[in-house]
Amino acid sequence: MTIEKGCAMNVLVVDVGGTHVKLLATGQEAPRKLVSGPTLTPRRMVSTIKRLTKDWKYDVVSIGYPGPVLRGRPVAEPHNLGRGWVGFNFASAFGCRVKLINDAAMQALGDYKKGKMLFLGLGTGLGSTLIVNDIIEPMELGHLPYKKATYEDYVGLRGLEKHGKKKWRRYVADVVERLTAALEPDEIILGGGNAKLLKELPPHCRVGDNANAFVGGFRLWERNEADRSSRPAKPRSRGRRARRASRQPARPEPDDERSGI
């Protein structure tokens, strides 16, 4: 997926989380939210969003989804929400075009400036996204093996609750060091609700703003408008006589022997 630039459409951004779904549209200053959780199905979410945003105007929708996404569609049900997300037709439900992306990737897109950036979301698990020269690559680094379990077992919420803040901070520093050596990013963004618990940041790191998920949602649609405005105009029709003439074979040019030159 490529970062896109220059948008004039009204966009509704939907940031789906395990406890709340946050909403913001073009031209609005204050986000709105609804409660999520194990009973939230996609159909119920869309119905509630329409009711909460009936006074907002939007042409398209961006959705940050808390799970793996392939070609703009969820490929697994979310852990903390209701069922029915895989295969759900969001465009039909909203009645407009929809782009769906992993939630960590949407926040990473909002935090991105240039070069190679690694985003690590320190929340319930470990969200991860790599952006290289405007190309977004959502990743599942949290499931890679680490010590006796996985990365997210140590630096996610389970690790924080099991080991306490002091050890958790050491694990975060170690994981960042390992991923830095493997991926060689120019900078690392530490996002998610638990990033604020870090006393010191590892080298080349900065704390991301969770509100930048909305920025990422707006950016998703920017190339559509840029492409449309830069697209060359279609050539004018040449008319029936000109088209007929163009189909006639051209007369061969006389060579030197025929012309007697």
Side-chain angles (χ1 to χ4, degrees), residues 26-217:
T26 304
Q28 303 298 321
E29 295 183 359
R32 297 175 183 177
K33 63 182 180 180
L34 60 129
V35 176
S36 62
T39 62
L40 185 70
T41 64
R43 191 173 305 279
R44 180 177 297 177
M45 182 189 76
V46 172
S47 176
T48 306
I49 288 174
K50 286 183 173 181
R51 177 171 52 82
L52 290 176
T53 62
K54 59 184 178 181
D55 58 327
W56 287 358
K57 293 182 179 180
Y58 55 89
D59 307 304
V60 293
V61 177
S62 295
I63 300 176
Y65 177 75
V69 175
L70 182 63
R71 298 185 181 91
R73 297 178 181 274
V75 294
E77 298 289 338
H79 294 294
N80 302 319
L81 305 179
R83 317 312 287 172
W85 298 80
V86 175
F88 185 79
N89 191 330
F90 288 94
S92 176
F94 275 106
C96 63
R97 290 182 293 162
V98 173
K99 288 188 177 183
L100 189 142
I101 187 175
N102 172 264
D103 56 347
M106 192 164 77
Q107 184 176 341
L109 176 53
D111 282 310
Y112 180 73
K113 293 182 179 179
K114 62 179 180 179
K116 182 192 289 188
M117 184 199 82
L118 175 64
F119 174 86
L120 298 175
L122 302 172
T124 304
L126 177 65
S128 54
T129 295
L130 187 68
I131 302 182
V132 184
N133 297 330
D134 292 352
I135 304 300
I136 309 170
E137 188 58 50
M139 309 178 83
E140 295 292 334
L141 299 177
H143 302 306
L144 293 177
Y146 177 68
K147 295 186 180 294
K148 296 180 180 181
T150 66
Y151 281 130
E152 72 176 16
D153 286 313
Y154 283 84
V155 301
L157 183 59
R158 289 190 299 273
L160 176 60
E161 293 175 342
K162 179 179 179 180
H163 302 290
K165 290 182 182 179
K166 189 174 181 179
K167 284 188 176 181
W168 176 81
R169 289 171 182 142
R170 290 205 301 266
Y171 291 141
V172 170
D174 184 51
V175 168
V176 167
E177 183 178 356
R178 290 167 182 260
L179 294 178
T180 299
L183 300 173
E184 299 182 331
D186 299 320
E187 69 170 347
I188 297 177
I189 306 300
L190 299 177
N194 293 330
K196 62 180 181 293
L197 301 178
L198 296 171
K199 285 187 175 180
E200 296 181 3
L201 293 179
H204 310 294
C205 289
R206 62 182 171 92
V207 175
D209 187 343
N210 289 340
N212 282 340
F214 292 128
V215 178

Side-chain angles (χ1 to χ4, degrees), residues 227-240:
D227 286 348
R228 190 175 291 114
S229 63
S230 62
R231 192 174 298 158
K234 293 182 179 180
R236 296 178 62 183
S237 175
R238 295 180 298 169
R240 183 180 301 174

